[in-house]
């Protein structure tokens, strides 16, 4: 093993090095083609891809730079952008929309142009969840929709988001190529051998490309640097989440106590009003009984009208 301390057999695809080695190199292009076709469920069959420059600049120095993980074009001229998003960003949807503007604008032609565009796919492999409503809904395919007819208004711009933490199928539950690819992405770095369910030729290529022991010295060092950066980043995110969760629990407890105090005050107010009303009514009843007694009304009639007892009425001056 050339003195290497290999704790894992296969690379972690969530690292920059791992993702680009598997999907961003010409020699492994068939892996990217297979993965993208599995996402499209047969709607688009890609036979070839051309890798494009992953770094785009705006039209002026003030414009923001965009760097993509993998940017390519299929045989139809459609643009496909694939990005591994390792952690939740506050505006990750905005980022996707922003990235989509680059393959749109670069299709502009000088001179006479009818504005016809080629299709664009923005694919986000997310190592986090953003939809907490359904634990089983992890494959989001988004297009422009007419709110009234509920029909697709424009089918040339498609956003695909994969919430990887929600995919928990075991090897025995894998049936489609889509499920097999998600299983590989989710579990590759934890595997010590190729699962029996992944017998397709494309996965033979994948496991050969992902085996760390076959890396050159330069590749191994680059991967180790990338893995360290990923682990440092993950530890930072995990620590921040733990602190946020702890603070959230404390805020929840404080909020609960405050609600309890408010509810206590509310209950106290209700009881106070009830008691006050009761006392007020009692005083009113006593005053009424006193006047009736002064005017000579029979005690039985005073008792009936005021709900006071005979003893209470007798004691009135």
């Amino acid at each position: 093993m050339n003195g290497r301390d290999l704790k894992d057999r296969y690379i972690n695809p969530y690292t920059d090095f791992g993702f680009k080695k598997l999907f961003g190199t010409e020699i492994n292009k068939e892996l990217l083609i297979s993965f993208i076709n599995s996402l499209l469920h047969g709607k688009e069959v890609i036979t070839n891809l051309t890798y494009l420059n992953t770094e785009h600049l705006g039209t002026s120095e003030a414009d923001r730079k965009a760097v993509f993980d993998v940017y390519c074009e299929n045989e139809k001229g459609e643009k496909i952008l694939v990005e591994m998003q390792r952690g939740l960003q506050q505006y990750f949807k905005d980022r996707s929309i922003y990235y989509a503007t680059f393959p749109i604008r670069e299709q502009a032609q000088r001179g006479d142009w009818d504005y016809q565009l080629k299709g664009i796919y923005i694919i986000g492999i997310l190592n986090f969840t953003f939809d907490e409503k359904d634990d089983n809904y992890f494959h989001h395919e988004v297009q422009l929709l007419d709110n009234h007819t509920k029909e697709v208004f424009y089918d040339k711009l498609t956003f695909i988001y994969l919430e990887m933490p929600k995919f928990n199928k075991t090897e025995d539950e894998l049936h489609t190529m889509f499920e097999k690819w998600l299983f590989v992405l989710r579990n590759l770095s934890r595997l010590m051998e190729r699962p029996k369910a992944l017998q397709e030729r494309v996965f033979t290529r994948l496991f050969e490309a992902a085996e760390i022991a076959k890396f050159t010295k330069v590749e191994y060092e680059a991967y180790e640097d990338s893995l360290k950066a990923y682990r440092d980043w993950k530890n930072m995110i995990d620590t921040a989440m733990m602190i946020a969760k702890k603070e959230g629990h404390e805020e929840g407890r404080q909020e609960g106590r405050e609600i309890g105090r408010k509810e206590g005050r509310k209950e106290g107010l209700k009881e106070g009003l009830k008691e006050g009303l009761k006392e007020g009514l009692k005083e009113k009843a006593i005053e009424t009984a006193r006047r009736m007694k002064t005017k000579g009304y029979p005690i039985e009639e005073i008792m009936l009208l005021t709900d006071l007892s005979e003893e209470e009425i007798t004691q009135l001056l």
Side-chain angles (χ1 to χ4, degrees), residues 134-264:
D134 189 345
D135 290 338
N136 297 314
Y137 181 41
F138 56 84
H139 180 195
H140 303 263
E141 188 168 312
V142 182
Q143 293 179 316
L144 292 176
L145 187 74
D146 186 308
N147 284 330
H148 177 70
T149 64
K150 305 303 180 185
E151 294 180 353
V152 175
F153 174 76
Y154 187 74
D155 63 357
K156 292 183 180 180
L157 180 60
T158 303
F159 297 87
I160 298 174
Y161 301 113
L162 304 173
E163 295 181 275
M164 296 304 297
K166 289 184 178 180
F167 184 81
N168 295 305
K169 287 194 174 184
T170 64
E171 181 184 348
D172 295 335
E173 298 174 310
L174 305 178
H175 301 291
T176 66
M177 283 296 289
F178 173 66
E179 293 173 345
K180 292 177 181 181
W181 268 112
L182 264 60
F183 179 84
V184 166
L185 288 174
R186 184 77 195 276
N187 299 288
L188 182 59
S189 62
R190 295 192 290 265
L191 298 175
M192 293 308 295
E193 59 182 16
R194 177 180 173 179
K196 294 180 180 179
L198 307 179
Q199 293 304 310
E200 289 80 0
R201 187 185 65 82
V202 70
F203 292 119
T204 300
R205 177 61 192 155
L206 179 135
F207 281 97
E208 288 176 353
E211 191 165 359
I212 300 171
K214 295 181 179 179
F215 288 1
T216 65
K217 183 176 184 297
V218 173
E219 287 178 323
Y220 179 76
E221 290 175 352
Y223 174 60
E224 282 292 298
D225 289 342
S226 183
L227 184 60
K228 182 179 183 304
Y230 169 76
R231 286 171 175 168
D232 289 345
W233 173 88
K234 189 174 186 303
N235 286 336
M236 181 181 67
I237 295 297
D238 290 345
T239 300
M241 292 292 290
M242 182 178 65
I243 293 173
K245 186 176 181 180
K246 183 178 180 180
E247 291 178 348
H249 284 166
E250 181 58 32
E251 288 178 3
R253 286 193 292 269
Q254 291 179 0
E255 185 176 348
R257 287 193 291 266
E258 182 61 26
I259 291 174
R261 286 193 290 269
K262 287 180 180 178
E263 290 298 321

